[in-house]
Amino acid sequence: MNKFVVTGGAGFIGSALVRGLLEQGADTVVVIDNLLTGHLKNLDGIAGNVELHGHDIRSYDQIASLMRGADVVFHEAAIPSVPRSIDEPAPSHEANIDGTFNVLRACAEAGVRRVIYAASSSAYGDSDLLPKVETMIPRPKSPYAVQKLTGEYYMSVFASCFGLETVSLRYFNVYGPRQDPGSAYSGVLSLFIKCILARQAPTIFGDGEHSRDFTFVEDVVALNLKAAQAENVSGNMYNGGNGGRITLNEAWRLLQKFEGVDLPANYAEPRAGDVRDSQADTTLAVRDLGHAPQFTFEEGLRRTLDWYRNGV
Ligand code: UD1
């Protein structure tokens, strides 16, 4: 059986995963995406090789039959963004909690072997220690963080109560080609790159010393593919980060260096719900999943910048 389902498969991370599955020789890749934050253009060049359904995970009836016969379902569909979940808590609750429940219920009933879930490092909140280890008690600071954490809990309960294999991957600020810079809720590096290419100053919320374990999307794809095959991991949650930590000031400085410009950023008040520092301990993911990130921040950022310059 060589059928895979990617919810959110027209999104930034989902479409990269679809490409990874096709490169690995998948027979059938089913994409479920309501195109709320995803885009058909993310599937350019591969649309003919996937089965695309514009259904919404908030409707169990729309998605249930699509899971039949799937070996692994990668659940990437979500309404991301910490500030968006504060501005519009109801839709993100419905997509991120109710939607996740619907996906899991559909998978359990269809007899899917395993579900891999896009969990979030935001679940940690502000920890006393860095790096952040899976055994730390979660301290969510935003609706988004609560929603993603609830999904993790549902994952492990579907493993223990309903016989579904599950693996949750807590992503740490994923960036790379096809991340949509088109909204104020977009990931910070996509916004920074849009600014540097337009020779405009970005806005940094806070003093710029907030730090993130920025993770290149290809490393996240590789991790997902390993999580789909690893043994004795069901019910577990793993960090999906690189193990490094870059401040926003450093990231903006590097982009200026790449482009050979001197463009000081504007600074504004920190955003509500923001975590100050984020860095993954990768020990468990290395041990259990064979996680081996390939991209340094500098290399990933260069590739991403090149893609935006030539691609969009
Ligand atoms: C959070 C989660 C991440 C999740 C993402 C989904 C944490 C640690 N991480 O990312 O796992 O995938 O939500 O959206 O909670 N910023 C600026 N200027 C801007 C935009 C953002 O300074 O124009 C700052 C933010 O205030 C924040 C940092 O950049 O300090 C990163 O923001 P963002 O890219 O939105 O991601 P997180 O909220 O960290």
Side-chain angles (χ1 to χ4, degrees), residues 5 36 74 77 91 99 104 146 181 189 195 236 242 286 293 298-299 301 311:
V5 176
L36 183 71
F74 297 89
L104 288 170
V146 169
L189 293 182
C195 282
N236 293 355
N242 251 6
V286 169
E298 186 154 341
E299 172 67 14
L301 195 63

Side-chain angles (χ1 to χ4, degrees), residues 80-83 119-123 132 144 171-174 179 184-189 191-192 202-206 210-212 214 248 270-271 273-278:
S81 169
V82 167
S120 169
S121 59
S122 59
K132 301 186 182 191
Y144 178 75
Y171 295 165
F172 280 69
N173 293 76
V174 186
Q179 189 166 29
Y185 299 129
S186 300
V188 67
L189 293 182
L191 294 172
F192 276 11
T203 299
I204 292 182
F205 300 115
H210 286 203
S211 62
R212 293 290 183 268
F214 291 111
L248 298 176
R271 290 189 322 199
D274 257 352
V275 168
R276 179 144 186 107
D277 298 303
S278 187

